């Protein structure tokens, strides 16, 4: 990083000898632009994850719905839920909710695998448009479907929207370094930070101007350079894969098996509460970077694996007396997952050079998708095994 900063200073010095520097924006204008960019990225992330999260939260309803005459909802209107397998203490669906997870993540995995190779050839505006159309189409298809198969096609559209949007917006942050700096309240003497901030202020995210291309950006890297950068990213990629494998193995493999019968909530309602609390934890921790920064994300991966082991043991032995204890654990699980995600990308933003940052963001976002895909593949046979055993 010191050498990077030094090269940046030398570059600015050499440019100063040949050209007249652009007039600097007033301090208040720069700060206003920084906040607008930060709010813009926050809203983009919120909207991009919306369809993905809704589909996973409705997974139990998507798989279990059987429409009656005049019922246009996936949710059973009867106040007394009818178990799908009364002989099983888990009240199992015939298909695990991991099937919805795979439909919601495998298209994203394909997009993220191909993104570092050629997605940069497609401009940002068409990517955002395609992502928005797929998100809208996913809701329409699931809302009006009359079969599980059609609903899963809608889930696939949500996956395409979320995957394309995530890799697009994370790559776009490379052109707006003030977004990461603002979240962490940088010190004024940060080398090169003021120049970067001014450049970002001149190309606001919320506006009609397209971001300026930076010399040596990710699109001009050779295959050898990309491979070298990718190997250096493994320190961040592997822990994030482990975190997401553990938490989504819990979410889509164990949530529907953590069923408490003698409560005021039906099985489907318990499942929705688990998903809501998990997402609440993720939302809180992803928005907490300014308050808490974590350098060693391996610790978060270890804690998430402990969560998995603990809840798997409870599914097998049933020793937790109340679903409210599970609620607390699920909230904690979400906090760990969100913290791992935001701190991973924050560390990469700080430790990669300008010319590598766009590619590094696009390449690292494969981590969560890979972990989620592996968890879905393992959750399917686990569901069948436990349901048949019980």
């Amino acid at each position: 990083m010191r050498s990077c900063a030094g090269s940046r200073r030398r570059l600015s010095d050499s440019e100063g000898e040949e050209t007249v520097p652009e007039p600097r924006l007033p301090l208040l204008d720069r700060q206003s632009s920084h906040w607008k960019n930060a709010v813009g990225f926050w809203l983009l992330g919120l909207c991009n994850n919306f369809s993905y999260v809704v589909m996973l939260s409705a997974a139990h309803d998507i798989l279990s719905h059987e429409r009656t005459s005049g019922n246009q909802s996936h949710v059973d209107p009867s106040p007394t839920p009818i178990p799908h397998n009364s002989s099983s203490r888990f009240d199992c669906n015939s298909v695990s909710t991991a099937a919805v997870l795979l439909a919601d993540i495998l298209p994203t995995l394909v997009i993220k695998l191909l993104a570092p190779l050629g997605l940069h050839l497609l401009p940002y505006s068409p990517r955002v448009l395609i992502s928005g159309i797929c998100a809208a189409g996913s809701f329409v298809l699931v809302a009006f479907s009359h079969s599980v198969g059609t609903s899963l096609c809608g889930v696939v559209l949500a996956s395409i929207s979320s995957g394309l949007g995530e890799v697009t917006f994370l790559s776009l942050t490379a052109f707006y370094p003030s977004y990461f700096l603002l979240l962490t309240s940088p010190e004024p003497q940060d080398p090169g930070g003021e120049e970067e901030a001014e450049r970002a202020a001149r190309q606001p995210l919320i506006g009609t101007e397209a971001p300026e291309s930076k010399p040596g950006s990710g699109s001009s890297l050779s295959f050898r350079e990309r491979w070298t950068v990718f190997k250096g990213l493994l320190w961040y990629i592997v822990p994030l894969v482990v975190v997401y494998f553990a938490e989504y193995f819990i979410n889509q493999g164990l949530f529907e098996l953590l069923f408490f019968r003698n409560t005021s909530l039906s099985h489907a309602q318990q499942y929705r509460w688990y998903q809501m609390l998990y997402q609440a934890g993720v939302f809180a921790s992803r928005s907490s970077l300014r308050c808490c920064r974590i350098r060693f994300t391996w610790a978060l991966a270890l804690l998430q694996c402990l969560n998995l082991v603990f809840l798997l043991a409870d599914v097998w032995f049933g020793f937790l007396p109340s679903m409210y204890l599970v609620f607390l654990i699920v909230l904690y699980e979400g906090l760990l997952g969100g913290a791992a995600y935001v701190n991973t990308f924050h560390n990469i933003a700080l430790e990669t050079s300008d010319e590598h940052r766009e590619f590094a963001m696009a390449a690292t976002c494969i981590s969560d998708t890979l972990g989620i895909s592996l968890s879905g593949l393992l959750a399917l046979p686990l569901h069948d095994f436990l349901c048949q055993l019980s």
Side-chain angles (χ1 to χ4, degrees):
M1 290 298 296
R2 286 193 298 268
S3 61
C4 223
S7 63
R8 192 184 297 127
R9 285 196 299 268
R10 288 194 298 270
L11 179 60
S12 62
D13 292 340
S14 62
E15 289 177 349
E17 295 172 0
E18 299 175 2
T19 61
V20 178
E22 297 182 18
R24 293 188 172 182
L25 296 177
L27 179 60
L28 290 178
D29 289 347
R30 292 205 306 269
Q31 290 177 342
S32 174
S33 182
H34 294 171
W35 278 109
K36 286 167 61 179
N37 291 341
V39 171
F41 274 111
W42 187 87
L43 291 174
L44 288 173
L46 180 67
C47 296
N48 184 66
N49 276 353
F50 186 76
S51 59
Y52 170 81
V53 169
V54 167
M55 298 305 169
L56 289 184
S57 300
H60 193 274
D61 296 311
I62 289 174
L63 293 175
S64 63
H65 83 284
E66 291 185 5
R67 296 176 184 239
T68 58
S69 177
N71 178 26
Q72 297 301 315
S73 170
H74 286 291
V75 182
D76 187 352
S78 172
T80 304
I82 301 174
H84 302 90
N85 184 2
S86 58
S87 63
S88 170
R89 69 183 177 95
F90 297 124
D91 185 25
C92 297
N93 278 316
S94 58
V95 181
S96 169
T97 53
V100 176
L101 175 65
L102 290 176
D104 208 12
I105 202 62
L106 289 181
T108 297
L109 178 63
V110 173
I111 291 172
K112 291 184 177 181
L113 284 174
L114 299 178
L117 302 179
L119 189 60
H120 60 274
L121 300 176
L122 183 66
Y124 283 104
S125 296
R127 293 193 228 171
V128 176
L129 179 61
I130 295 171
S131 177
I133 292 174
C134 289
S138 69
F139 287 115
V140 172
L141 201 56
V142 172
F144 292 98
S145 70
H146 292 269
S147 68
V148 172
T150 306
S151 295
L152 290 179
C153 290
V155 175
V156 169
L157 285 180
S159 177
I160 295 173
S161 168
S162 177
L164 182 61
E166 182 180 10
V167 72
T168 296
F169 299 138
L170 281 174
S171 299
L172 195 60
T173 60
F175 297 91
Y176 299 87
S178 59
Y179 171 67
F180 288 98
L181 299 179
L182 179 61
L183 288 179
T184 54
S185 186
E187 296 181 2
Q189 65 269 24
D190 182 30
E194 191 172 354
E195 290 80 358
E196 294 282 4
E198 286 197 26
R199 183 183 58 77
R202 293 191 179 93
Q203 47 183 43
L205 178 63
I206 303 179
T208 58
E209 301 177 12
E212 302 171 7
S213 298
K214 295 187 295 184
S217 63
S219 58
S220 62
L221 297 178
S222 66
F223 178 80
R224 181 183 296 273
E225 288 176 306
R226 290 168 185 263
W227 177 244
T228 301
V229 173
F230 180 78
K231 289 191 294 184
L233 293 172
L234 290 177
W235 175 257
Y236 298 108
I237 290 176
V238 174
L240 199 57
V241 170
V242 173
V243 167
Y244 272 83
F245 169 81
E247 67 186 64
Y248 274 87
F249 194 91
I250 295 171
N251 293 0
Q252 306 305 129
L254 302 184
F255 274 3
E256 63 176 324
L257 304 178
L258 292 166
F259 174 42
F260 294 84
R261 291 186 179 273
N262 299 319
T263 66
S264 59
L265 299 179
S266 68
H267 192 177
Q269 289 172 329
Q270 290 179 37
Y271 182 86
R272 292 185 213 119
W273 270 102
Y274 292 152
Q275 291 286 356
M276 189 280 292
L277 290 170
Y278 163 76
Q279 296 297 342
V282 170
F283 179 82
S285 57
R286 285 196 183 187
S287 305
S288 65
L289 188 59
R290 188 161 186 168
C291 304
C292 178
R293 281 172 275 169
I294 301 172
R295 176 68 177 82
F296 298 103
T297 54
W298 279 100
L300 301 175
L302 176 60
L303 292 173
Q304 200 69 288
C305 288
L306 293 177
N307 276 344
L308 170 59
V309 172
F310 182 81
L311 290 177
L312 183 59
D314 178 65
V315 168
W316 187 268
F317 298 107
F319 54 81
L320 287 178
S322 171
M323 68 177 178
Y324 296 104
L325 294 176
V326 179
F327 285 172
L328 291 175
I329 296 172
V330 168
L331 181 63
Y332 169 63
E333 173 208 347
L335 291 172
L336 290 178
Y341 185 93
V342 72
N343 280 281
T344 294
F345 285 102
H346 169 249
N347 292 334
I348 290 173
L350 292 182
E351 298 181 12
T352 54
S353 58
D354 290 345
E355 64 270 20
H356 295 156
R357 189 173 296 126
E358 183 182 9
F359 169 76
M361 291 293 184
T364 307
C365 73
I366 189 66
S367 308
D368 58 334
T369 308
L370 181 59
I372 295 170
S373 301
L374 292 174
S375 68
L377 291 173
L378 289 181
L380 283 172
L382 175 72
H383 171 274
D384 295 338
F385 172 75
L386 290 176
C387 290
Q388 292 173 5
L389 187 65
S390 62

